[in-house]
Amino acid sequence: MMDDQIVRITSRLVAPFIQLYGIYIILHGHLSPGGGFSGGAIFGASLVLIALSFNLEAGIKQISHQTASVLESGGALGFALTGLVAIAFGGNYLANRSAGFPLGEAGQFFSSGAILVITVFVGIKVASTITTLFYNIIEKEEPLGNHKQTD
Amino acid sequence: MESAGHQPVLIIVLLLISAFIAPLLYRRWRFLSGAVVLAALTGSFITALLLLSKSGASSSLSYHLGNWPPPWGIELIIDPLRVYMLLVVTGVSLWIFIYALGDLKHELHNDVIGWYYSLYAVLVASMSAITLTNDLFNLFVLMEICAITACAIITIKDQRECLEAGFKYLIMSAMGTGCFLLGVAMIYMVTGYLNYSFIQSELSLALTDYPLNIFTAAALFIVAFGTKAALFPLHVWLPDAHAAAPSPSSAMLSGLVIKIYAFALFMIFYRVFPRSLLDTIPLNEIILWLGAMGVMFGSIYAMLQTDLKKMLAYSSISQIAFIFMGIGLDQPLALTGGLYHIMVHAFTKSTLFMSAGAIIYSTGVRRISDLGGIGKVLPLPLFAFTIGSASMIGLPGTGGLISKWYLALGTLETGRILFLLVILASSLLNAIYYMPIVINAFMSGEEFKEKVKIVPLSMQVTLAAGMILVVISGIFSRQVIIFFEQALTSLY
């Protein structure tokens, strides 16, 4: 990987802002363009940026391979379970208002019931998937037969 | 239509949740991971049985996801034909999974088995959803999920030919879904709906105003599902993919995945396209000819193979074409044969791939010519292979006879003697390439020399179950045929 002072310092400066922006996009998914997928992708990109400009170890220090894949399954699981909660409340699968999720006032942050919850889960899932994909590609770069497991 | 309770969606969600939990559990408790997916598959099979008793042979139930009524929301429909397909999907995948529990340890890296369980559950979930959905765009999404997981259970085996075959499959299948999406766009353009039932009533009006759009969409659908289900000229990806995959994946891909697309095409033809469209352009005729060519060429290619699994894969091309011939003849008896063949071939080809897997597991032999005398050392797998071959040929007492019988009746009913000859010829060809293996395995004088490992219990049990299923489908077919007769009256 690259060993360049300028790239390292810039990415270290920029990364927190990218992450903050990613979280913003995820949390405002029900109010403005964006949402779980785009926000998660932005957040995941910041982790990829760190791994690229420093090295894989630095990236893994941010979020380990294992944590990433647990979050990946957890995010999808959360989505599926949110749908089941609707059934428990007497609606159909993934029902929102008719299952009694509080919709709040349109335009407010706490509004839209289940959509906000699902967006957060999708965000977690996408961010962790992007990092896992990237780690997997990097690890596969090592010559075959010399399988080093990082987790 | 009355409401269906939550069972239709629970089948899908149960499988998905087990898929998300399995890799998490696999880190700590390897045993539990398989058990969770097994439990979910059993649960979904039982739920499908409950749905069968609920819907009966004539009524249909509908489920609105998220309480959004159609045409806005996604609708799942339970009707007799869908329940039949759902039972086949959940039942056969449960059966193959038990086999996989024994076989995977020797085919895959230990770290990825948890992911295999997960992919398997997602694949079954997507196939169950494809049978139930009543929404074209939902169908597109599910087809993508199905294609990606199907590729993944091939490439998960870290071998050169698996990666190559998986990549080929991925490209072909992406082309197929691309065509499908374009077709859906064409339909949406002229009708403004994505829900099957709404499109059907709207298309008969739109047909006079925008015939070209609808014809293009129909052509795109045939290419899309033809590619996905390996209909004859579009079959090129299948032999490599099905032969290179780990044996449980081959059984799954040949047994169910290609059939789910044949079923989806059937649904498109009879639930999306209005009767007037099928009467205007000869869609069924196209499918019929492609199917007839597939039946012949699949068998001929299969005769030329030297690798056991590759031969079985080519035989799948010929067998899936029987199902398409059933759709192509467009006649209740032939459709009965085609739909029954979905189940029969799922049983038969899975049994055959499982016995091939058991042979490879215990001896490592793949070449057909090296199988001489193997029946004496591996009696159960080869006996299962014999029963499977008998069903492929269509010998009495096996399921293969029933489906070919009804297809043949269908050709006679429509007066298409040529296609009767095709069916007969293909049976003979099947005998030519299946029987020598069986005869060579049991009756050849030579001793089998390779070292033989003992086949695990779970594999033996599933092979025995496979034999029983093939025979049961051949002897107790009456109930199912009556069920089809009642269900198919709604189409004509």
Side-chain angles (χ1 to χ4, degrees), chain B residues 7 20 91 105 107 116 189 210 229 234 244 270 276 292 294 300 318 365 377 401 403 407 409 441 481:
Chain B
Q7 281 152 6
F20 303 145
K105 287 187 197 86
E107 294 224 46
Y116 186 91
M189 217 162 115
Y210 310 101
L234 303 163
Y270 292 95
S276 50
I300 291 169
S318 122
V365 172
V377 286
L401 174 74
S403 47
L407 271 175
L409 285 181
I481 300 291

Side-chain angles (χ1 to χ4, degrees), chain A residues 5-16 49:
Chain A
Q5 212 59 35
I6 298 172
V7 171
R8 287 187 171 189
I9 289 175
T10 317
S11 56
R12 195 188 291 167
L13 274 176
V14 164
L49 179 69

Side-chain angles (χ1 to χ4, degrees), chain A residues 66 69-70 72-73 76-77 80-81 84 87 91-96 98 140 147 149 151, chain B residues 5-6 9-10 13 16-17 20-21 23-24 27 63-68 109 111 115 158:
Chain A
Q66 191 160 357
S69 61
V70 168
E72 208 186 336
S73 304
L77 195 62
L81 291 178
L84 282 185
I87 291 189
N92 275 357
Y93 189 72
L94 278 181
N96 196 358
S98 42
K140 282 275 148 124
H147 254 302
Q149 214 65 42
D151 59 347
Chain B
H6 295 295
V9 82
L10 281 183
V13 174
L16 284 178
I17 288 179
F20 303 145
I21 294 177
L24 290 181
R27 297 170 172 280
Y63 186 85
H64 304 156
L65 273 174
N67 286 83
W68 293 100
H109 238 267
D111 319 334
W115 292 110
D158 216 353

Side-chain angles (χ1 to χ4, degrees), chain B residues 277-428:
Chain B
L277 176 62
L278 293 184
D279 292 337
T280 321
I281 45 172
L283 289 179
N284 291 89
E285 197 66 23
I286 296 170
I287 293 286
L288 178 61
W289 279 98
L290 293 180
M293 289 201 293
V295 166
M296 293 308 292
F297 283 101
S299 304
I300 291 169
Y301 286 137
M303 285 165 66
L304 304 174
Q305 302 308 313
T306 52
D307 180 282
L308 182 62
K309 281 180 83 174
K310 215 156 210 174
M311 185 204 84
L312 293 176
Y314 272 107
S315 152
S316 279
I317 295 170
S318 122
Q319 299 293 324
I320 190 79
F322 275 116
I323 299 166
F324 280 110
M325 275 179 80
I327 301 173
L329 283 164
D330 190 24
Q331 198 272 337
L333 282 172
L335 272 178
T336 306
L339 288 171
Y340 198 66
H341 202 62
I342 291 182
M343 180 174 79
V344 168
H345 186 246
F347 291 161
T348 315
K349 191 45 70 64
S350 307
T351 308
L352 285 170
F353 265 120
M354 285 176 187
S355 45
I359 292 170
I360 294 167
Y361 177 93
S362 59
T363 65
V365 172
R366 284 184 72 126
R367 283 178 67 83
I368 293 173
S369 49
D370 294 348
L371 291 174
I374 198 174
K376 286 161 203 149
V377 286
L378 286 173
L380 181 72
L382 265 293
F383 198 60
F385 193 90
T386 312
I387 302 269
S389 313
S391 175
M392 282 291 151
I393 299 162
L395 294 184
T398 58
L401 174 74
I402 309 293
S403 47
K404 285 185 187 174
W405 177 262
Y406 278 92
L407 271 175
L409 285 181
T411 57
L412 289 177
E413 200 77 16
T414 44
R416 314 288 295 263
I417 303 298
L418 174 67
F419 295 103
L420 178 65
L421 292 178
V422 168
I423 293 170
L424 289 178
S426 142
S427 292
L428 280 178

Side-chain angles (χ1 to χ4, degrees), chain B residues 138-157:
Chain B
N138 194 224
L139 177 61
F140 162 73
V141 174
L142 295 167
M143 276 164 62
E144 284 284 34
I145 298 175
C146 189
I148 289 169
T149 44
C151 287
I153 63 169
I154 300 170
T155 51
I156 198 162
K157 192 172 168 185

